Amino acid sequence: MPKLVKLLILYYSQTGNTEKMARAIEEGAKSVAGVNVEVKYFARPEDLAEADGIIFGMPTYHHDMGIDMKRLLEEVAVKRINLKGKVGAAFGSYGWSGEAPRMMLEVLKNKFEMEIIEPPLLAKYNPEEKSLEECRKLGKTVAERIVKASLSS
Ligand SMILES: Cc1cc2nc3c(=O)[nH]c(=O)nc-3n(C[C@H](O)[C@H](O)[C@H](O)COP(=O)(O)O)c2cc1C
């Protein structure tokens, strides 16, 4: 019996656009057998430690990532929680510049040595069906990747 792998979708959303993306990613991830998919709005550093893959959702406000996410990542670093080798991806809704998901990926790659999936997935304002389809695809891709990794470990 293969072990059940864990995928965490952690997102922030002020007006619901990034949340719609998160739900579509969840749908895609849940189409893959053998993955426990959890969607969270808030997380503790320990939640990140328990996941095999983490997909971070982050809208861009004031050309930046949200303060709650920055605090969480800081806490992960302070507590020396090891994310090395875990699969990481990022997505988010934006209006005109959309830097936040890219910033997120940089931190995941350079500070935590996660295996990141590039490029980040962006949707302008309210995601259209085409964007939601890309979200479902991303969820499926990450889920399949962590299942495959668990089978070969
Ligand atoms: C006060 C404010 C600041 C914003 N700053 C940016 C920005 O710097 N760059 C950008 O691309 N979009 C910016 N936006 C647009 C949001 O990213 C966009 O509305 C997005 O859909 C919000 O996602 P959410 O519904 O998940 O919160 C801003 C919106 C507001 C209200």
Side-chain angles (χ1 to χ4, degrees), residues 81-116:
I81 287 180
N82 186 10
L83 304 182
K84 187 172 177 176
K86 293 181 190 291
V87 177
F91 66 97
S93 174
Y94 73 106
W96 50 91
S97 57
E99 300 89 332
R102 163 64 57 197
M103 286 175 175
M104 189 79 214
L105 281 188
E106 293 298 323
V107 176
L108 301 184
K109 183 178 174 182
N110 300 324
K111 190 163 176 176
F112 295 111
E113 299 179 74
M114 290 179 72
E115 298 290 329
I116 61 163

Side-chain angles (χ1 to χ4, degrees), residues 11-20 58-64 92-99 123-127:
Y11 74 95
Y12 173 74
S13 184
Q14 208 162 299
T15 59
N17 293 334
T18 304
E19 177 163 27
K20 284 182 192 162
M58 180 54 48
T60 301
Y61 283 94
H62 306 289
H63 300 278
D64 207 351
S93 174
Y94 73 106
W96 50 91
S97 57
E99 300 89 332
K124 198 159 185 172
Y125 293 113
N126 189 7

Side-chain angles (χ1 to χ4, degrees), residues 12-109:
Y12 173 74
S13 184
Q14 208 162 299
T15 59
N17 293 334
T18 304
E19 177 163 27
K20 284 182 192 162
M21 298 176 77
R23 292 297 168 194
I25 291 170
E26 176 187 17
E27 210 182 294
K30 283 187 170 167
S31 72
V32 179
V35 187
N36 175 1
V37 183
E38 204 175 351
V39 184
K40 277 182 176 280
Y41 198 81
F42 291 105
R44 300 166 302 128
E46 292 74 16
D47 295 325
L48 274 56
E50 286 165 11
D52 300 284
I54 311 166
I55 311 182
F56 293 88
M58 180 54 48
T60 301
Y61 283 94
H62 306 289
H63 300 278
D64 207 351
M65 328 182 343
I67 185 74
D68 288 348
M69 195 65 89
K70 283 188 182 173
R71 282 206 191 104
L72 174 65
L73 294 175
E74 197 48 48
E75 232 184 297
V76 168
V78 168
K79 290 191 169 174
R80 296 184 185 280
I81 287 180
N82 186 10
L83 304 182
K84 187 172 177 176
K86 293 181 190 291
V87 177
F91 66 97
S93 174
Y94 73 106
W96 50 91
S97 57
E99 300 89 332
R102 163 64 57 197
M103 286 175 175
M104 189 79 214
L105 281 188
E106 293 298 323
V107 176
L108 301 184
K109 183 178 174 182

